[in-house]
Amino acid sequence: MNLAGALACGLAALDITMPAAAQASQIRYLELIEQWNKVHNLTAVTDPEQMLSHHLFDSLAVLPYLGAARSLLDVGSGAGLPGIPLAIARQELAVTLIDSSHKRQSFQQQCKAELGLANVKAIHSRVEDFTALGGFDIIISRAFSDLGKFVCCARHLCGGGGRMLAMKGLFPHQEIAKLPNWARVVEVKLLKVPSLDAVRHLIEIEIS
């Protein structure tokens, strides 16, 4: 099965409906990662089929949990994960990608241009040094740090009523136990990622 067919099957398994043009953009995004990986080593996953499960499906698995959010900040976005797949899937969602690596931010800018993602901003900065008027509805991280550092570094960017979402592997019991008292875990969701033989959790945190 080619990548387009595998993507369609994965989206069906995730119960996500996506226009053909958006599906084509998701495939093109993987092609851009593959091209840049040859020179810049953006990600350890280099096989296109593995990128589909480890990157795209893993990122899109959180889509149902974004609710009616209008803005999202992807902290430590790296190659644009999960922010770019989410931005392609929900073009009404304003997605800001932030990473301290200029190389990765340059890649994100390239993706924004090539994929025509008017709803994406790519910021080169440490998250603790970044400010945004009004904050964000959702702040998400996929591979940024442990939960304690995540909430402490990004707390100031959480808008009124905003949520913080952390994508994790195994249930992070110790990290949750060490959270400051102003960061409350609302829910831990088990994510079912097609073609990925690994445990994935989404930690929803409320900031007071």
Side-chain angles (χ1 to χ4, degrees):
M1 185 183 299
N2 61 20
L3 280 185
L7 173 60
C9 288
L11 292 176
L14 288 167
D15 198 22
I16 293 173
T17 301
M18 191 178 297
Q23 293 188 41
S25 291
Q26 300 283 10
I27 296 297
R28 178 58 185 149
Y29 170 56
L30 292 187
E31 291 172 350
L32 288 170
I33 294 178
E34 187 178 13
Q35 289 171 12
W36 276 60
N37 253 349
K38 294 174 182 177
V39 178
H40 298 288
N41 192 29
L42 290 173
T43 169
V45 180
T46 57
D47 176 74
E49 289 187 8
Q50 279 196 320
M51 284 196 284
L52 194 63
S53 57
H54 287 61
H55 293 336
L56 278 195
F57 295 157
D58 190 51
S59 296
L60 293 171
V62 308
L63 195 61
Y65 306 108
L66 300 186
R70 293 173 296 177
S71 62
L72 177 143
L73 175 67
D74 179 6
V75 176
S77 184
L81 299 158
I84 289 178
L86 296 176
I88 294 171
R90 280 187 51 179
Q91 295 189 10
E92 77 283 1
L93 180 68
V95 174
T96 300
L97 315 171
I98 186 166
D99 200 281
S100 60
S101 164
H102 187 269
K103 171 186 69 177
R104 294 178 185 134
Q105 190 253 356
S106 295
F107 172 72
Q108 295 163 10
Q109 290 280 28
Q110 183 72 19
C111 292
K112 171 183 169 68
E114 288 217 19
L115 302 176
L117 298 176
N119 59 328
V120 167
K121 290 182 180 177
I123 306 295
H124 175 225
S125 174
R126 292 165 57 88
V127 65
E128 52 266 47
D129 299 330
F130 179 58
T131 58
L133 186 63
F136 296 87
D137 294 338
I138 289 179
I139 301 175
I140 195 167
S141 75
R142 182 171 180 260
F144 173 65
S145 68
D146 63 36
L147 292 177
K149 182 176 180 181
F150 173 46
V151 299
C152 288
C153 288
R155 177 190 187 186
H156 67 289
L157 294 165
C158 202
R163 297 178 292 147
M164 301 186 78
L165 300 176
M167 301 171 68
K168 291 287 182 178
L170 297 174
F171 194 106
H173 294 279
Q174 293 186 349
E175 292 182 33
I176 290 174
K178 293 178 181 178
L179 281 172
N181 57 16
W182 45 261
R184 183 175 72 90
V185 173
V186 177
E187 192 173 357
V188 179
K189 304 174 180 73
L190 180 64
L191 299 176
K192 294 183 179 180
V193 182
S195 305
L196 184 63
D197 186 20
V199 178
R200 299 292 287 154
H201 290 88
L202 184 68
I203 319 299
E204 180 179 349
I205 301 170
E206 186 180 75
I207 302 299
S208 61

